[in-house]
Amino acid sequence: MGLFLQVLTVLVITVSLQGWVPRGCLEEERIALLHLKDSLNYPNGTSLPSWRIAHANCCDWEGIECNSSTGRVTVLYLWSARNRELGDWYLNVSLFLPFQQLNYLSLSDNRIAGWVEKKGGYELQKLSNLEYLYLEDNSFNNSILSFVEGLPSLKSLYLGYNRLEGSIDLKG
C-alpha cells in the first residue's frame, strides 16, 4: 500500500505542476472536421489532404487553430478548400455546430451557392462565439443576409464577390 501511495502522490504532483494540457482536439470536433472534409470533397475531390483519420491531433491539420487550454477548434481557415472544378454546392451548416468555441470562419472562394435545406443558415446563428465570418467569392444571393444578421457575436462579415443585388439595409 505504501508504494501505491508514493506513486499516486508523484502522479498528482506531476499533473499539478504541468497543468492540464490537451493532447489535441476533441474527438467530437475531429469527427465533425472529417465530415466537413467529405462535404467539401463531394463527389470526388481531394481537398485538405492533411485531414486524416490516422492523424488524431486535428489541431495540427491545415487551416485549423485550437485553444491551447481547452483543445477546442477556434479557427477554421477554409479559403479555396473546395476544388472549383467540382462546381457550385450547398453547405450543410450543421456540420459546424460541434465547434463551440469557433470565433473565426473563412469559407471564401468555395463556390457555395447556398445552404442545404433544414441544415442551413439558421443553424449558423447557433455559433454564439463566431466573431469573424468570411464568405466572399462564392455564389450567395441576398438571402444570406437574413441568416448572418442573427449571429450574436459577429464583428466582421465579408461578402464581396457574391451575387448580391440592389440596396442592402444594414442594421448595426
Side-chain angles (χ1 to χ4, degrees):
M1 190 68 156
L3 180 61
F4 174 75
L5 287 175
Q6 288 176 341
V7 170
L8 184 62
T9 303
V10 169
L11 182 62
V12 168
I13 290 172
T14 302
V15 170
S16 296
L17 291 175
Q18 291 180 351
W20 169 251
V21 179
R23 298 281 180 226
C25 67
L26 301 175
E27 182 69 9
E28 167 191 18
E29 293 186 346
R30 187 173 74 84
I31 291 168
L33 289 167
L34 292 171
H35 287 299
L36 180 59
K37 175 184 178 178
D38 289 345
S39 178
L40 282 163
N41 284 314
Y42 182 82
N44 57 1
T46 57
S47 299
L48 305 168
S50 71
W51 295 24
R52 297 185 317 271
I53 293 173
H55 188 182
N57 185 1
C58 64
C59 295
D60 292 336
W61 294 356
E62 170 190 357
I64 296 173
E65 292 179 24
C66 297
N67 180 303
S68 61
S69 60
T70 66
R72 287 199 166 272
V73 173
T74 57
V75 172
L76 282 174
Y77 184 76
L78 301 173
W79 177 80
S80 199
R82 181 171 164 86
N83 181 339
R84 294 187 64 77
E85 293 174 11
L86 296 175
D88 285 352
W89 65 295
Y90 290 84
L91 180 64
N92 178 349
V93 178
S94 67
L95 294 172
F96 296 99
L97 296 182
F99 308 113
Q100 297 174 6
Q101 290 184 5
L102 186 65
N103 64 15
Y104 179 104
L105 177 59
S106 174
L107 293 169
S108 299
D109 193 28
N110 282 299
R111 296 197 59 177
I112 303 170
W115 316 116
V116 171
E117 189 175 340
K118 298 189 180 179
K119 295 183 187 231
Y122 291 110
E123 298 288 327
L124 193 65
Q125 295 173 358
K126 295 178 182 174
L127 299 175
S128 60
N129 292 312
L130 191 63
E131 295 179 356
Y132 304 94
L133 181 58
Y134 293 78
L135 297 172
E136 66 262 306
D137 201 14
N138 281 296
S139 300
F140 288 111
N141 60 29
N142 290 41
S143 68
I144 184 72
L145 300 172
S146 63
F147 299 112
V148 297
E149 73 180 0
L151 287 165
S153 299
L154 194 64
K155 293 179 181 176
S156 294
L157 172 65
Y158 298 87
L159 285 170
Y161 302 101
N162 276 285
R163 296 180 181 159
L164 303 178
E165 296 178 348
S167 62
I168 297 171
D169 182 27
L170 298 176
K171 299 174 187 171

